[in-house]
Amino acid sequence: MGSKLFSYFSFPFLLGLYLFSFISPFPSAYSQLDYRFYDRSCPGLSNIVRYGVWAAYKNDTRIAASLLRLHFHDCFVNGCDASVLLDDTDDFKGEKNAFPNRNSARGYEVIDNIKADVERFCPSTVSCVDILTLAAREAVVLAGGPFWQVMLGRRDGITASQQAANEQLPSPFEPLENITAKFTSKGLDLKDVVVLSGAHTIGYAQCFTFKSRLYNFQGSGKPDPTLDSSAFKSLQSMCPNTDSSNSNLAPLDSTAYRFDTTYYTNLVSKTGLLESDQALTRDPKTAAMVNSYSTNSYLFWNDFTTSMAKLGNLGVLTGDKGQIRKKCGSVNL
Ligand code: HEM
Ligand SMILES: *[C@@H]1O[C@H](CO)[C@@H](O)[C@H](O)[C@H]1NC(C)=O
Ligand SMILES: *[C@@H]1O[C@H](CO)[C@@H](O)[C@H](O)[C@H]1NC(C)=O
């Protein structure tokens, strides 16, 4: 009798609990990210971000690449927390002046401007890190790449570390094993290395980041023998062998404004720009992936959106951690 009653009542009860867990109106304090996080508190958010990125892109097409990279540099150093946007203070030296960012990272003003617009409509509601994450997505879409749904609800960090940025960001001068180790230490894997490196389908690099391949490959005093000879000539003319060419720009792939699979076809034809890019064709495992992406844009699209979602979820602050900054360049007083 007792057990019969139990089974009679428990099913609807458990079903109710089960449904409740999906339709709960309370954003729980330790909630994970949520696609609809700002649906009520800032319904215009994605349009404001889309407009801000579009306006910046109309003026400067390269900004799409710069925003995508800024998001990567944020997430890869102590998680996605907009720490990359913080100016140095008396308390800490931030990431802006770390070696990979100084005179290199761009797009800070674009995020600051979008944040100012968002504050006008939804004051103290939307984090800088969510704005940067959405802006990176809009940038990829504007450059002709795939759209993906972005989870929201990240909160802004209250500190930043120049040393962490120097230590944790990948360098174009280190071998694939080291780069892969940096990715795996974040919970990303070898496939993410290959897929996310595909972001180099847009944007530019300064000559100093690959010049040794032209004039003194691995201390040989000679060019990198694996670099295609016509690519070599054109890079030589962009980057003459003098220090004054160090900050000249070269396109990361042959269609630097187009989010396409040309990055991978360039690697296959030995015209990758950075040594760390071309290295993906030397390891058999990564070379196989490079080959498939070079001929299958659907596969690249699909895997890129998956890896970007992983990147955007690294080390996020939610619930009552962190804060919602009023200005992206400084923590709230
Ligand atoms: C895998 C290791 C990586 C290395 C070693 C690397 C290195 C670099 C370097 C040296 C530059 C040129 C910077 C300059 O000359 O000022 C650059 C540019 C860029 N990187 Fe990476 N990167 C890596 C991964 C990524 C990832 C994962 C993303 C994004 C998901 C990304 C997005 C970009 C973009 C879009 C640019 C062009 C930026 C612009 O034109 O403003 N990179 N990267
Ligand atoms: C337009 O882009 C250039 C860089 O190409 C930048 O220096 C300038 O501030 C931008 N202007 C506006 C209004 O965003
Ligand atoms: C690669 O990583 C090893 C082990 O951490 C380190 O000793 C070496 O200096 C790194 N190489 C480069 C070029 O950064």
Side-chain angles (χ1 to χ4, degrees):
M1 165 73 188
S3 80
K4 199 166 185 187
L5 250 185
F6 177 74
S7 61
Y8 186 80
F9 285 110
S10 62
F11 177 68
F13 176 70
L14 289 176
L15 182 68
L17 262 187
Y18 177 75
L19 288 177
F20 184 76
S21 68
F22 285 100
I23 58 174
S24 166
F26 311 111
S28 71
Y30 303 101
S31 58
Q32 299 302 305
L33 302 179
D34 183 340
Y35 293 112
R36 316 191 58 175
F37 193 85
Y38 299 110
D39 273 14
R40 286 185 197 174
S41 57
C42 196
L45 176 62
S46 56
N47 283 330
I48 300 171
V49 176
R50 185 167 305 147
Y51 173 77
V53 176
W54 173 81
Y57 181 80
K58 283 238 309 180
N59 167 55
D60 168 19
T61 314
R62 185 185 166 201
I63 206 69
S66 306
L67 289 168
L68 176 56
R69 183 171 186 238
L70 200 56
H71 170 58
F72 166 55
H73 282 201
D74 176 32
C75 292
F76 215 70
V77 181
N78 299 330
C80 308
D81 61 353
S83 52
V84 72
L85 304 179
L86 288 174
D87 293 316
D88 292 353
T89 69
D90 291 341
D91 295 332
F92 60 80
K93 277 173 147 188
E95 296 166 24
K96 278 186 170 175
N97 289 311
F99 180 71
N101 291 331
R102 184 166 11 105
N103 298 321
S104 176
R106 308 169 76 243
Y108 298 107
E109 324 73 43
V110 176
I111 301 301
D112 288 344
N113 290 338
I114 295 173
K115 173 66 171 174
D117 283 349
V118 170
E119 284 299 292
R120 229 166 281 138
F121 288 94
C122 337
S124 295
T125 303
V126 181
S127 63
C128 294
V129 54
D130 276 343
I131 291 173
L132 178 55
T133 308
L134 285 168
R137 192 269 311 274
E138 294 307 327
V140 168
V141 171
L142 279 173
F147 176 92
W148 66 98
Q149 214 75 47
V150 170
M151 300 258 245
L152 298 166
R154 300 167 192 77
R155 292 168 63 85
D156 297 323
I158 55 171
T159 188
S161 163
Q162 184 175 116
Q163 192 191 346
N166 280 327
E167 289 170 359
Q168 296 174 22
L169 288 168
S171 149
F173 308 117
E174 62 185 350
L176 178 60
E177 296 71 55
N178 289 35
I179 290 174
T180 305
K182 286 177 173 177
F183 274 66
T184 48
S185 78
K186 307 281 171 195
L188 299 171
D189 58 25
L190 186 64
K191 182 174 176 182
D192 297 311
V193 174
V194 179
V195 172
L196 292 174
S197 292
H200 291 171
T201 179
I202 52 174
Y204 287 79
Q206 301 174 64
C207 290
F208 81 88
T209 63
F210 59 87
K211 214 189 220 175
S212 66
R213 296 187 72 201
L214 306 179
Y215 304 109
N216 188 15
F217 184 61
Q218 296 178 346
S220 63
K222 299 205 179 83
D224 181 343
T226 59
L227 180 62
D228 168 84
S229 63
S230 68
F232 171 72
K233 288 210 181 74
S234 93
L235 289 174
Q236 255 192 334
S237 73
M238 283 182 244
C239 306
N241 193 11
T242 62
D243 286 349
S244 62
S245 77
N246 278 349
S247 59
N248 293 3
L249 294 173
L252 278 159
D253 84 355
S254 50
T255 57
Y257 293 117
R258 223 37 233 165
F259 196 101
D260 55 17
T261 55
T262 304
Y263 169 78
Y264 296 106
T265 53
N266 286 172
L267 295 186
V268 169
S269 57
K270 302 190 184 326
T271 58
L273 188 67
L274 305 178
E275 172 56 15
S276 51
D277 291 327
Q278 196 59 59
L280 297 175
T281 60
R282 287 198 245 288
D283 170 294
K285 274 208 290 294
T286 56
M289 293 186 243
V290 166
N291 272 323
S292 359
Y293 295 131
S294 74
T295 57
N296 188 341
S297 60
Y298 174 79
L299 185 68
F300 176 44
W301 262 214
N302 194 65
D303 289 354
F304 188 77
T305 56
T306 303
S307 290
M308 284 300 290
K310 274 169 92 175
L311 178 66
N313 291 356
L314 294 182
V316 295
L317 306 168
T318 56
D320 57 6
K321 306 215 183 73
Q323 61 177 214
I324 304 297
R325 265 178 234 154
K326 293 205 188 336
K327 293 197 167 194
C328 295
S330 56
V331 299
N332 300 337
L333 293 177

